[in-house]
Amino acid sequence: MKLGHVGRLSGDRRDLAEKLAASDLRGDMELAESLRPTLIHALRSLRDLYDDEDVWRTAEQAVAAVDVPPSRLIESVANYPDSLPALLVFFGYRPPESATQLVSNAVVSLQQVPEDEDPTVAVSKTRDALGELLERALDLEAASPWLLPDIASETIPALDMGVTLATGAATSGVMAIVGAAVVPATLIGGGLALAPVLILGGCYYWRRKRNLRKQNEQLLELHERLPLDLVPAARAAVIQHLDTVLNLQKHTNDKNPQAILDLRNNLEALTDIARRFGSSDSRLRTAANQHQLKTGDASATKFLGQLPQLLVTAAKAKAGLDTGLQIDPTTLAQLEKERYVIANLN
């Protein structure tokens, strides 16, 4: 088993997230081209993880060795807020995002797992899903620039999953070979339960991300296939995600991990839609302009024109959430304003 996966994946995650955030905050699709080399490198790191048979075999063995339902697994690791982030760093994790936040996302997702789910099947399904992502990105070097931010947005959660799964597999493998003595005693906590928490938490975290993305899958198809009658659906989805964000923000004052994760998920879904539909070179934008000229109905044109600013505001909200677990009042007020404008377009 290669022990360098964690450092490579976390480094790629950091670089890709920084470039994507810069593109979103500028609302400039020309910056999207700068994502290509970083994205190619990140997907190669994920391919390396996918091809490492030892990692996946060790991960399956680790989760099979724990005789409790996944949703109750965290109960067996009393000091996980200290031990699990430290394990990520021990095996090469490089911030940002903080190791503590990554562990929190994984643990929250783990607590939502059905009692009767087979954890070894979850690991194998995760590998299958990773293979599907890599298959879709085979032609990345020839992909249009405006597609790159969407692919990057889908790749970042896969990198997060890879970090936790590789850390868990490395922890389990090292403990199995040389015993727990090689890992600092302060990190041991629940012993062998540490590895399954990271492995399954990462798997279920990524599954939650993919399920939310699938809800908007039709909206995120290639522009060449987007008929103008999808604009009302996109508008409804934007309003729905904005409503959820504004409502969830009220419940994050106590730093509730579930509310924070749901808020982050909805902000990411919102930026995915705003990024794709707000692209200045969108064929959909051209179709909307032609429709306005023919019918006098400017609602589609106005909605699409509102999205570049919404993308910038949503990116600022996401950045604030990542650093302070809160959306600052100015950005929140801007989200409320943009929600009102989009909901009342005629």
Side-chain angles (χ1 to χ4, degrees), residues 250-322:
K250 301 173 185 177
H251 302 287
T252 59
N253 292 329
D254 57 355
K255 297 185 179 180
N256 180 301
Q258 182 65 60
I260 292 170
L261 180 57
D262 289 342
L263 182 57
R264 181 177 282 107
N265 287 344
N266 277 275
L267 279 171
E268 289 174 356
L270 186 63
T271 55
D272 282 343
I273 297 173
R275 186 189 299 119
R276 176 62 66 86
F277 280 74
S279 171
S280 60
D281 62 350
S282 168
R283 297 193 180 195
L284 192 63
R285 182 77 68 89
T286 301
N289 290 337
Q290 292 174 344
H291 178 74
Q292 180 180 354
L293 290 173
K294 291 178 181 178
T295 67
D297 178 7
S299 58
T301 302
K302 289 180 179 179
F303 168 68
L304 296 174
Q306 192 74 23
L307 293 183
Q309 179 57 51
L310 177 62
L311 174 60
V312 173
T313 307
K316 289 180 179 178
K318 174 68 165 49
L321 191 66
D322 287 343

Side-chain angles (χ1 to χ4, degrees), residues 1 52-68 73 118-124 165 168-177 192-197 199-200 203:
M1 184 196 318
D52 192 336
E53 297 289 345
D54 288 340
V55 166
W56 297 97
R57 185 186 311 110
T58 303
E60 290 186 352
Q61 291 171 347
V63 300
V66 180
D67 191 23
V68 295
L73 186 58
D118 184 344
T120 59
V121 172
V123 173
S124 64
L165 185 137
T171 303
S172 178
V174 168
M175 286 184 175
I177 295 172
L192 290 177
L194 288 169
V197 167
I199 293 166
L200 289 174
C203 290

Side-chain angles (χ1 to χ4, degrees), residues 22-72:
S23 176
D24 286 347
L25 285 169
R26 280 269 301 273
D28 184 354
M29 289 303 295
E30 291 184 4
L31 280 177
E33 181 60 39
S34 67
L35 286 168
R36 196 183 303 271
T38 307
L39 187 52
I40 290 173
H41 193 276
L43 288 165
R44 285 174 179 167
S45 296
L46 285 171
R47 168 63 68 179
D48 193 30
L49 176 70
Y50 177 82
D51 290 337
D52 192 336
E53 297 289 345
D54 288 340
V55 166
W56 297 97
R57 185 186 311 110
T58 303
E60 290 186 352
Q61 291 171 347
V63 300
V66 180
D67 191 23
V68 295
S71 59
R72 290 172 45 206

Side-chain angles (χ1 to χ4, degrees), residues 17 214 291 323:
K214 286 180 180 178
H291 178 74
T323 56

Side-chain angles (χ1 to χ4, degrees), residues 19 22 40 47 56 64 67 82 96 100 131 163 173 210 213 242 247-248 256 275 279 309 316 328 342 345:
K19 289 187 178 296
I40 290 173
R47 168 63 68 179
W56 297 97
D67 191 23
D82 299 320
T100 300
V163 166
R210 287 187 293 118
R213 190 177 182 89
L242 279 170
N247 182 60
L248 283 171
N256 180 301
R275 186 189 299 119
S279 171
Q309 179 57 51
K316 289 180 179 178
D328 70 86
I342 292 172
L345 288 173

